[in-house]
Amino acid sequence: NAGVTQTPKFQVLKTGQSMTLQCAQDMNHEYMSWYRQDPGMGLRLIHYSVGAGITDQGEVPNGYNVSRSTTEDFPLRLLSAAPSQTSVYFCASSYGTGRTEAFFGQGTRLTVV
Amino acid sequence: AQKITQTQPGMFVQEKEAVTLDCTYDTSDQSYGLFWYKQPSSGEMIFLIYQGSYDEQNATEGRYSLNFQKARKSANLVISASQLGDSAMYFCAMRGSIGNQFYFGTGTSLTVIP
């Protein structure tokens, strides 16, 4: 039972480079989201999706792009990496509503130099 | 807008003692859910306990209980009989009924002292 799978676990980028963080879930969850975790700031919502073909911005969307072509996959794209995007990124999924918790991937530690 | 506030950046507790981690929230939703997660030093996010806004009883899961005071908009986590393995970061989160996003607090770092 894989749950939520994030790749890669670690990544170092140079300023200006682009990359895609992958996220896949096998629980048929409608809702998927991306967070970044920075010291002292908790988890902040970047983008989320309530189903295939539907995405929306969270609290800190600038510099990131998402798409949701299938229920299973929700990649996060960094368009032109900046040092301010150095962070730990988490993908999460859950059922759409109700008494259901979010299931998290293992996280990606990204460093932009 | 939804907001979660955790005012204790760090807490210490003696092994086998109980500890309360504070969480207050702000929302205009009538129906919402409150969650607590544990993040050990290895980094994964572990779901601990859930409380619904219409639940009349406080939620309990083993050594974890949630002290829910709706009028005060607080959802404190109580850990009984602390163990060394409870040392971790703890996050309070809320899920509203509009949009269904999860919003997280800034977390409390708990250290259990032998």
Side-chain angles (χ1 to χ4, degrees):
Chain A
N1 192 4
V4 180
T5 303
Q6 264 184 259
T7 56
K9 289 202 70 174
F10 301 94
Q11 183 71 49
V12 179
L13 286 180
K14 294 183 178 178
T15 298
Q17 285 185 317
S18 63
M19 79 159 295
T20 299
L21 306 185
Q22 301 291 344
C23 177
Q25 53 93 8
D26 61 359
M27 297 173 280
N28 203 31
H29 286 164
E30 306 97 328
Y31 183 88
M32 296 185 74
S33 52
W34 278 100
Y35 295 86
R36 59 177 290 171
Q37 182 180 13
D38 302 293
M41 303 191 77
L43 280 77
R44 292 182 292 168
L45 181 65
I46 304 171
H47 284 285
Y48 66 98
S49 169
V50 298
I54 306 169
T55 64
D56 206 346
Q57 296 180 352
E59 304 166 81
V60 289
N62 292 341
Y64 307 95
N65 205 355
V66 293
S67 60
R68 183 114 178 254
S69 56
T70 66
T71 299
E72 294 78 19
D73 300 299
F74 191 45
L76 178 73
R77 281 180 284 277
L78 280 71
L79 308 173
S80 176
S84 61
Q85 294 178 304
T86 293
S87 187
V88 178
Y89 291 85
F90 284 97
C91 177
S93 74
S94 70
Y95 289 110
T97 60
R99 313 169 64 92
T100 53
E101 73 271 27
F103 293 81
F104 283 83
Q106 292 296 304
T108 297
R109 185 172 294 275
L110 175 69
T111 302
V112 183
V113 298
Chain B
Q2 330 278 13
K3 185 174 172 62
I4 296 283
T5 302
Q6 294 180 255
T7 57
Q8 305 156 313
M11 291 278 286
F12 293 86
V13 64
Q14 206 75 34
E15 194 177 6
K16 299 180 186 176
E17 297 291 313
V19 63
T20 298
L21 306 183
D22 294 341
C23 173
T24 58
Y25 61 91
D26 190 21
T27 181
S28 54
D29 286 357
Q30 296 302 307
S31 175
Y32 51 88
L34 297 156
F35 303 80
W36 278 91
Y37 284 84
K38 173 184 179 181
Q39 186 180 44
S41 58
S42 51
E44 71 267 32
M45 295 289 287
I46 302 167
F47 166 69
L48 295 177
I49 196 167
Y50 165 87
Q51 178 84 41
S53 59
Y54 290 117
D55 293 343
E56 295 187 352
Q57 303 236 356
N58 287 342
T60 60
E61 289 287 346
R63 293 186 300 111
Y64 304 109
S65 60
L66 202 153
N67 184 0
F68 180 47
Q69 298 186 43
K70 192 171 181 177
R72 299 181 62 183
K73 293 190 174 178
S74 74
N76 298 338
L77 177 70
V78 181
I79 306 174
S80 63
S82 296
Q83 303 172 355
L84 296 178
D86 293 335
S87 293
M89 197 76 169
Y90 289 82
F91 290 99
C92 180
M94 179 174 64
R95 185 178 201 185
S97 56
I98 301 171
N100 293 309
Q101 299 97 311
F102 288 84
Y103 290 92
F104 286 81
T106 52
T108 295
S109 177
L110 177 67
T111 302
V112 181
I113 303 167

